[in-house]
Amino acid sequence: MNFQVPLIIGFRSEVMEKTIIVAIDVGTTKVCTLIAQIDAQNSIRVLGVGIEPSNGIRKGTVIDIPQAANSIAKSVKKAERTSGLEITNAIVSVAGTHISSFNNKATTGIGAGVIDQYDIRRVSEALKAIPMPHNRMIIHRLHRSFSVDGVEGIRQPIGMFGSRLDAEAHIITASTSSVENLRQCIMTAEIDVKQFVLNPLADGEVILTDIEKQMGVVVCDIGGGTTDLAIYINGDVWHTNVIPVGGSHITNDIAQAFHLPLTQAEEIKKIHGHAMPDYIGEEEYFYSRTFGREEAAKFNRRELAKIIHMRTEEIFQLVLQEIKRSGYDNLLPAGMVLTGGSSLLSGIDKVGSEVLNMPVRLAKPENLTGMIDQLDSPAYSTAVGLLYWSMLIQDTPDGQPAPKDISSTFDKLKRILRNLLP
């Protein structure tokens, strides 16, 4: 039995008596549409999944609207068929080299001496007063913390005495044309975009722990065309960026070195690839058919690993440069959490740890129910993270997740430190 339900964030379905949320992750290599419901216990159950190869998109940016729109429409239809629901709007991922970010600060005087909600609104409005070029648009305004009379790191200033209230926010902007081209592709599938969400922010909602966010951690999403970064410190986002290198560059290297079609090079990367040559025996071989030959050629697997190692090392060198450029390289004791489809490459976490000189762990989506067999992979962290983002913003007026109560996180941290100290 099919239900036609308007899927609006925060809408309570009269038929199912549960909130329905929709996420569309538009990547360089695939489009993933997820339809889910939130029950009374705030757990997410996946009802529909639609995964389709991505066409018309390069390095996260639409380069062919008809092809991209067709890939999105096919993904949406698959999710609708498996769920029995008709999608009318969704939260959509965004990435690409057109993304940029900066931190902003605003100040307001406190008239009555005691901070109230009116003061919070005034300083929040001051944060929004940012002149933007006509070809740029703000996609995220992420609140970080408050300061009262110079005392920093205050999470909730209401009720405090002071004469000056400062607020900080991390601002993420994007090319207006790139975002509107993606919106046009989504609208071609008869879907309204509720919000665009930067990939690593969606990832962070599903793969990071509160302790990691508090102590200092990097989210690194290595996708097909880009590597997306987000730095979390003190529970907030402090820095984001998109690097224009990803897994497709590794595939291209393999294709050129071994004279293979890209499809074969991608398959070889997944089946025989390894990022650490020292982990591969010198006499390990595999076979594949090259251009201009009818019989399969013999290839040394260690040589393949050397090619992969060179490119993955370059990716992490670029990541290291970006972390140092942010100025937060000494504030990341929790290291890096690696996700994205290319993080499935064997040994890539070890390359990252060697280059960055910090702990690196692999992560994938967890704590889901329903149709999750296809989603148990780092390749779907962004899509699943979009569902969590949808759940977090339902009751927030600005479409951004509300700051969490971190008292329990501090309690955990204190227990850990107490166990570590003599």
Side-chain angles (χ1 to χ4, degrees):
M1 181 176 182
N2 292 337
F3 301 114
Q4 186 167 339
V5 182
L7 301 181
I8 303 175
I9 304 302
F11 174 82
R12 294 286 175 178
S13 165
E14 293 181 2
V15 177
M16 305 181 71
E17 295 184 352
K18 291 182 175 65
T19 302
I20 302 298
I21 53 179
V22 182
I24 303 177
D25 176 23
V26 183
T28 301
T29 58
K30 70 180 184 311
V31 180
C32 178
T33 302
L34 300 181
I35 303 174
Q37 67 180 22
I38 307 172
D39 62 20
Q41 287 72 41
N42 275 342
S43 62
I44 294 177
R45 180 176 181 82
V46 179
L47 304 176
V49 179
I51 302 170
E52 187 71 19
S54 182
N55 295 308
I57 296 173
R58 181 183 299 161
K59 295 183 179 180
T61 302
V62 175
I63 60 171
D64 188 316
I65 287 181
Q67 285 191 357
N70 185 53
S71 297
I72 292 168
K74 287 182 177 179
S75 171
V76 167
K77 291 301 179 185
K78 284 183 179 179
E80 288 180 331
R81 283 197 299 269
T82 54
S83 67
L85 298 170
E86 182 177 345
I87 301 173
T88 61
N89 56 64
I91 280 187
V92 181
S93 68
V94 64
T97 55
H98 61 94
I99 300 293
S100 63
S101 65
F102 60 93
N103 294 322
N104 189 35
K105 189 173 183 178
T107 302
T108 186
I110 304 169
V114 178
I115 300 171
D116 57 19
Q117 193 63 49
Y118 174 71
D119 298 311
I120 301 295
R121 284 198 301 270
R122 280 201 303 151
V123 77
S124 297
E125 289 300 320
L127 277 175
K128 297 177 182 178
I130 305 169
M132 277 284 118
H134 73 278
N135 62 343
R136 304 292 298 178
M137 62 184 294
I138 296 175
I139 57 173
H140 289 291
R141 188 182 291 102
L142 303 169
H143 183 266
R144 280 170 55 174
S145 64
F146 294 97
S147 300
V148 178
D149 291 348
V151 179
E152 300 179 347
I154 296 172
R155 306 288 295 189
Q156 181 52 269
I158 292 179
M160 298 183 72
F161 287 86
S163 59
R164 191 188 74 190
L165 177 65
D166 299 321
E168 294 183 358
H170 183 66
I171 311 297
I172 301 174
T173 71
S175 162
T176 301
S177 59
S178 296
V179 171
E180 292 306 319
N181 286 337
L182 179 54
R183 189 191 304 275
Q184 185 64 35
C185 294
I186 303 292
M187 291 178 64
T188 301
E190 299 182 348
I191 297 171
D192 293 328
V193 178
K194 300 300 295 183
Q195 187 183 4
F196 288 105
V197 178
L198 185 64
N199 285 9
L201 300 186
D203 296 329
E205 294 303 324
V206 72
I207 66 172
L208 295 182
T209 67
D210 288 343
I211 292 178
E212 286 173 331
K213 288 182 181 180
Q214 191 65 30
M215 294 186 68
V217 69
V218 184
V219 173
C220 182
D221 184 335
I222 307 181
T226 62
T227 297
D228 309 324
L229 302 177
I231 294 177
Y232 288 79
I233 300 172
N234 294 335
D236 299 312
V237 178
W238 283 36
H239 184 77
T240 52
N241 198 28
V242 177
I243 298 172
V245 183
S248 61
H249 294 78
I250 302 173
T251 303
N252 287 333
D253 292 345
I254 297 169
Q256 291 186 23
F258 294 151
H259 306 287
L260 297 169
L262 286 174
T263 52
Q264 282 181 242
E266 178 70 18
E267 185 177 1
I268 285 171
K269 180 181 74 174
K270 292 179 178 179
I271 297 174
H272 303 289
H274 202 290
M276 297 290 287
D278 292 343
Y279 285 52
I280 306 299
E282 293 185 1
E283 301 301 318
E284 290 190 43
Y285 297 94
F286 64 93
Y287 295 85
S288 185
R289 186 174 299 173
T290 66
F291 284 113
R293 296 185 60 172
E294 293 185 1
E295 69 279 4
K298 183 179 180 181
F299 297 102
N300 185 286
R301 190 171 172 228
R302 191 164 191 172
E303 290 301 314
L304 171 66
K306 289 179 181 179
I307 294 169
I308 294 173
H309 179 82
M310 289 178 63
R311 181 63 79 170
T312 53
E313 188 176 48
E314 179 199 18
I315 291 173
F316 285 114
Q317 287 288 354
L318 293 171
V319 169
L320 179 60
Q321 289 178 22
E322 183 59 29
I323 292 173
K324 288 183 177 295
R325 189 180 72 84
S326 74
Y328 305 133
D329 47 308
N330 293 321
L331 301 174
L332 304 170
M336 172 178 286
V337 179
L338 196 60
T339 192
S342 296
S343 70
L344 290 166
L345 189 59
S346 298
I348 194 170
D349 55 330
K350 295 178 176 61
V351 177
S353 185
E354 288 181 358
V355 173
L356 301 171
N357 193 28
M358 64 172 62
V360 175
R361 74 172 178 89
L362 301 178
K364 62 183 180 179
E366 296 178 347
N367 302 322
L368 290 172
T369 60
M371 302 178 61
I372 60 172
D373 292 344
Q374 295 174 278
L375 306 178
D376 187 28
S377 165
Y380 302 106
S381 292
T382 299
V384 174
L386 289 171
L387 295 178
Y388 278 83
W389 188 280
S390 300
M391 181 175 66
L392 291 172
I393 69 170
Q394 288 184 90
D395 300 320
T396 59
D398 59 354
Q400 307 295 339
K404 294 182 179 179
D405 180 3
I406 59 172
S407 58
S408 60
T409 302
F410 277 128
D411 290 340
K412 293 177 183 177
L413 281 170
K414 286 189 287 186
R415 286 197 296 271
I416 292 173
L417 292 173
R418 193 179 298 118
N419 292 332
L420 291 175
L421 294 173

